[in-house]
Protein backbone atom coordinates (compact mmCIF):
# COMPACT_ATOMS: atom_id res chain seq x y z
CA UNK A 1 0.00 0.00 0.00
CA UNK A 2 2.91 2.31 0.64
CA UNK A 3 3.42 5.22 2.98
CA UNK A 4 0.14 6.75 4.15
CA UNK A 5 1.64 9.64 6.11
CA UNK A 6 4.15 12.41 5.61
CA UNK A 7 7.72 11.65 6.70
CA UNK A 8 9.20 14.26 9.02
CA UNK A 9 12.31 16.02 7.76
CA UNK A 10 13.27 18.07 10.79
CA UNK A 11 16.71 19.01 12.04
CA UNK A 12 16.85 15.99 14.39
CA UNK A 13 14.96 13.55 12.18
CA UNK A 14 16.20 9.92 12.33
CA UNK A 15 18.56 10.57 15.23
CA UNK A 16 16.96 8.26 17.81
CA UNK A 17 20.02 6.01 17.92
CA UNK A 18 22.53 8.50 16.54
CA UNK A 19 22.26 10.97 19.42
CA UNK A 20 21.49 8.45 22.18
CA UNK A 21 23.90 8.38 25.10
CA UNK A 22 25.86 5.22 25.77
CA UNK A 23 25.59 2.82 28.67
CA UNK A 24 26.48 4.58 31.95
CA UNK A 25 27.08 7.80 30.03
CA UNK A 26 23.81 9.54 30.97
CA UNK A 27 23.44 12.14 33.65
CA UNK A 28 25.31 15.29 34.61
CA UNK A 29 28.32 16.17 32.46
CA UNK A 30 31.64 16.20 34.26
CA UNK A 31 33.56 19.40 34.86
CA UNK A 32 36.56 18.09 32.92
CA UNK A 33 34.53 18.69 29.75
CA UNK A 34 34.54 22.42 30.45
CA UNK A 35 38.16 22.58 31.62
CA UNK A 36 39.64 21.51 28.28
CA UNK A 37 41.48 24.06 26.18
CA UNK A 38 41.41 24.16 22.39
CA UNK A 39 43.87 25.97 20.17
CA UNK A 40 43.61 27.08 16.58
CA UNK A 41 44.92 24.40 14.23
CA UNK A 42 44.12 21.44 16.50
CA UNK A 43 42.23 18.46 15.14
CA UNK A 44 38.97 17.71 16.96
CA UNK A 45 36.14 15.20 16.64
CA UNK A 46 32.61 16.57 16.48
CA UNK A 47 30.46 14.25 18.62
CA UNK A 48 27.04 15.60 19.56
CA UNK A 49 26.02 15.31 23.20
CA UNK A 50 22.24 14.97 23.33
CA UNK A 51 22.07 16.21 26.92
CA UNK A 52 23.08 19.72 25.79
CA UNK A 53 20.68 21.17 23.25
CA UNK A 54 22.47 24.48 22.84
CA UNK A 55 25.18 24.68 20.23
CA UNK A 56 24.47 21.16 18.95
CA UNK A 57 25.84 20.45 15.45
CA UNK A 58 23.69 19.18 12.62
CA UNK A 59 23.51 15.39 12.38
CA UNK A 60 25.74 15.31 9.27
CA UNK A 61 28.73 16.57 11.29
CA UNK A 62 28.29 13.98 14.07
CA UNK A 63 31.44 11.82 14.13
CA UNK A 64 33.40 14.02 11.71
CA UNK A 65 36.94 15.22 12.27
CA UNK A 66 37.86 18.83 11.60
CA UNK A 67 40.37 21.57 12.36
CA UNK A 68 39.78 24.37 14.86
CA UNK A 69 39.82 27.75 13.11
CA UNK A 70 38.22 29.94 15.80
CA UNK A 71 37.91 29.89 19.60
CA UNK A 72 35.18 31.87 21.36
CA UNK A 73 33.93 32.11 24.93
CA UNK A 74 31.82 28.94 25.01
CA UNK A 75 32.38 27.33 21.63
CA UNK A 76 34.94 26.59 18.96
CA UNK A 77 34.82 27.01 15.22
CA UNK A 78 35.53 23.77 13.34
CA UNK A 79 36.31 23.43 9.65
CA UNK A 80 34.99 20.13 8.27
CA UNK A 81 35.24 18.75 4.74
CA UNK A 82 31.96 17.82 3.07
CA UNK A 83 31.87 15.89 -0.18
CA UNK A 84 29.06 17.00 -2.45
CA UNK A 85 28.92 15.16 -5.78
CA UNK A 86 32.31 15.71 -7.42
CA UNK A 87 33.60 18.52 -5.19
CA UNK A 88 34.88 18.84 -1.65
CA UNK A 89 33.52 21.79 0.30
CA UNK A 90 35.12 23.20 3.45
CA UNK A 91 32.29 23.91 5.89
CA UNK A 92 32.89 26.17 8.89
CA UNK A 93 30.62 25.62 11.88
CA UNK A 94 30.58 26.83 15.48
CA UNK A 95 29.97 24.14 18.08
CA UNK A 96 29.86 24.36 21.86
CA UNK A 97 32.70 22.61 23.66
CA UNK A 98 30.34 19.92 25.04
CA UNK A 99 30.03 18.56 21.51
CA UNK A 100 33.77 18.57 20.71
CA UNK A 101 36.63 16.39 21.88
CA UNK A 102 40.30 16.20 20.94
CA UNK A 103 41.07 13.80 18.13
CA UNK A 104 43.60 10.98 18.17
CA UNK A 105 43.88 10.81 14.38
CA UNK A 106 47.43 12.23 14.28
CA UNK A 107 48.91 10.67 17.42
CA UNK A 108 50.90 8.08 15.46
CA UNK A 109 52.20 10.79 13.12
CA UNK A 110 53.48 12.93 16.00
CA UNK A 111 55.06 9.91 17.69
CA UNK A 112 56.84 8.91 14.48
CA UNK A 113 58.11 12.48 13.98
CA UNK A 114 59.52 12.53 17.52
CA UNK A 115 61.25 9.18 16.97
CA UNK A 116 62.77 10.36 13.68
CA UNK A 117 64.01 13.58 15.29
CA UNK A 118 65.68 11.57 18.05
CA UNK A 119 67.36 9.34 15.44
CA UNK A 120 68.62 12.38 13.51
CA UNK A 121 69.99 13.97 16.66
CA UNK A 122 71.77 10.75 17.67
CA UNK A 123 73.30 10.39 14.20
CA UNK A 124 74.54 14.01 14.15
CA UNK A 125 76.14 13.65 17.56
CA UNK A 126 78.12 10.63 16.39
CA UNK A 127 79.02 12.28 13.08
CA UNK A 128 77.26 9.65 10.97
CA UNK A 129 75.16 10.39 7.88
CA UNK A 130 71.42 10.45 8.44
CA UNK A 131 69.64 7.58 6.68
CA UNK A 132 66.30 9.07 5.69
CA UNK A 133 65.18 5.93 3.87
CA UNK A 134 65.11 3.89 7.07
CA UNK A 135 62.89 6.48 8.74
CA UNK A 136 60.10 6.11 6.20
CA UNK A 137 57.32 3.63 6.75
CA UNK A 138 57.67 0.45 4.73
CA UNK A 139 54.77 -1.81 3.76
CA UNK A 140 54.67 -5.15 5.49
CA UNK A 141 56.07 -7.80 3.18
CA UNK A 142 55.13 -11.46 2.84
CA UNK A 143 55.82 -13.86 5.67
CA UNK A 144 59.09 -15.81 5.48
CA UNK A 145 59.07 -19.32 4.04
CA UNK A 146 58.84 -22.26 6.40
CA UNK A 147 59.60 -25.96 6.06
CA UNK A 148 57.30 -28.32 7.90
CA UNK A 149 59.10 -31.45 9.04
CA UNK A 150 57.20 -34.61 9.95
CA UNK A 151 57.91 -38.32 10.25
CA UNK A 152 56.93 -40.53 7.36
CA UNK A 153 54.92 -42.78 9.66
CA UNK A 154 52.70 -39.89 10.73
CA UNK A 155 51.86 -38.69 7.22
CA UNK A 156 48.55 -40.06 6.02
CA UNK A 157 47.57 -39.53 2.40
CA UNK A 158 43.86 -39.36 1.65
CA UNK A 159 42.59 -40.08 -1.84
CA UNK A 160 38.97 -39.88 -2.96
CA UNK A 161 37.15 -43.07 -3.89
CA UNK A 162 36.29 -43.52 -7.58
CA UNK A 163 32.70 -42.76 -8.44
CA UNK A 164 30.76 -45.78 -9.69
CA UNK A 165 27.32 -45.24 -11.09
CA UNK A 166 24.79 -47.85 -10.05
CA UNK A 167 21.40 -47.75 -11.70
CA UNK A 168 18.53 -48.43 -9.32
CA UNK A 169 15.35 -50.05 -10.57
CA UNK A 170 12.44 -48.10 -9.16
CA UNK A 171 9.99 -50.97 -9.69
CA UNK A 172 11.53 -53.12 -6.97
CA UNK A 173 9.67 -51.48 -4.11
CA UNK A 174 6.38 -50.85 -5.90
CA UNK A 175 3.57 -53.14 -4.88
CA UNK A 176 1.43 -52.69 -7.99
CA UNK A 177 4.19 -53.76 -10.41
CA UNK A 178 5.75 -57.17 -10.21
CA UNK A 179 9.47 -57.13 -10.84
CA UNK A 180 10.81 -60.01 -12.92
CA UNK A 181 14.60 -59.96 -13.15
CA UNK A 182 14.55 -62.75 -15.80
CA UNK A 183 12.36 -60.82 -18.18
CA UNK A 184 14.05 -60.20 -21.52
CA UNK A 185 13.80 -56.69 -22.88
CA UNK A 186 12.93 -56.71 -26.61
CA UNK A 187 15.46 -55.17 -28.95
CA UNK A 188 14.70 -51.84 -30.55
CA UNK A 189 13.99 -52.24 -34.28
CA UNK A 190 16.46 -50.54 -36.58
CA UNK A 191 20.00 -50.87 -37.88
CA UNK A 192 22.39 -52.85 -35.67
CA UNK A 193 24.53 -50.90 -33.23
CA UNK A 194 28.23 -50.71 -34.02
CA UNK A 195 30.62 -51.51 -31.20
Amino acid sequence: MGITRQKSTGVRARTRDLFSRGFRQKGVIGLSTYMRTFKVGERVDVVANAAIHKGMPFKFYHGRTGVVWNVTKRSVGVEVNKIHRQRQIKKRIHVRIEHVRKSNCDVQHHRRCAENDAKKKYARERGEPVDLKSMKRQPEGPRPAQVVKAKRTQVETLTPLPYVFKAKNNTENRGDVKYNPKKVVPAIPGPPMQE
Side-chain angles (χ1 to χ4, degrees):
M1 182 174 173
I3 300 173
T4 58
R5 58 182 175 79
Q6 178 68 29
K7 275 194 172 182
S8 60
T9 56
V11 177
R12 293 186 60 168
R14 297 157 189 81
T15 59
R16 181 173 184 169
D17 296 329
L18 188 70
F19 286 164
S20 62
R21 305 296 303 278
F23 178 67
R24 286 187 168 181
Q25 300 296 322
K26 302 177 177 67
V28 181
I29 299 174
L31 291 178
S32 61
T33 304
Y34 299 96
M35 300 299 290
R36 291 177 297 190
T37 57
F38 297 96
K39 298 179 181 179
V40 176
E42 281 186 340
R43 296 185 183 274
V44 293
D45 296 331
V46 179
V47 180
N49 189 343
I52 306 298
H53 296 170
K54 284 188 175 181
M56 182 182 288
F58 183 62
K59 60 185 177 180
F60 169 80
Y61 302 103
H62 179 74
R64 306 277 174 171
T65 302
V67 182
V68 176
W69 64 275
N70 188 20
V71 179
T72 61
K73 187 176 181 180
R74 297 182 183 88
S75 63
V76 292
V78 184
E79 190 176 66
V80 185
N81 290 333
K82 182 176 183 179
I83 297 175
H84 177 68
R85 294 180 181 172
Q86 71 276 2
R87 62 198 178 115
Q88 190 176 26
I89 309 169
K90 289 189 176 182
K91 307 285 283 188
R92 286 188 167 187
I93 58 173
H94 278 89
V95 186
R96 283 179 74 111
I97 58 174
E98 294 95 336
H99 309 290
V100 173
R101 63 188 181 193
K102 294 193 176 183
S103 179
N104 295 327
C105 62
D106 53 357
V107 172
Q108 293 182 356
H109 172 71
H110 290 311
R111 187 181 71 244
R112 196 172 66 253
C113 289
E115 291 175 357
N116 290 345
D117 291 341
K119 291 178 183 177
K120 291 177 185 177
K121 184 178 179 181
Y122 180 73
R124 288 193 190 101
E125 288 176 354
R126 299 185 60 182
E128 298 176 354
V130 179
D131 187 13
L132 296 177
K133 189 174 182 181
S134 63
M135 297 182 184
K136 294 182 180 180
R137 292 176 294 174
Q138 299 295 330
E140 185 179 357
R143 291 180 295 178
Q146 298 180 3
V147 178
V148 180
K149 295 182 179 180
K151 296 180 180 179
R152 293 290 295 175
T153 56
Q154 296 178 351
V155 177
E156 183 179 354
T157 305
L158 300 176
T159 57
L161 297 174
Y163 175 73
V164 179
F165 177 75
K166 293 182 180 180
K168 182 179 179 183
N169 196 340
N170 294 331
T171 59
E172 291 181 5
N173 300 326
R174 288 175 58 183
D176 56 342
V177 178
K178 293 182 180 180
Y179 176 67
N180 186 6
K182 297 181 180 179
K183 184 178 179 181
V184 179
V185 180
I188 301 173
M193 298 290 292
Q194 295 181 357
E195 295 182 0

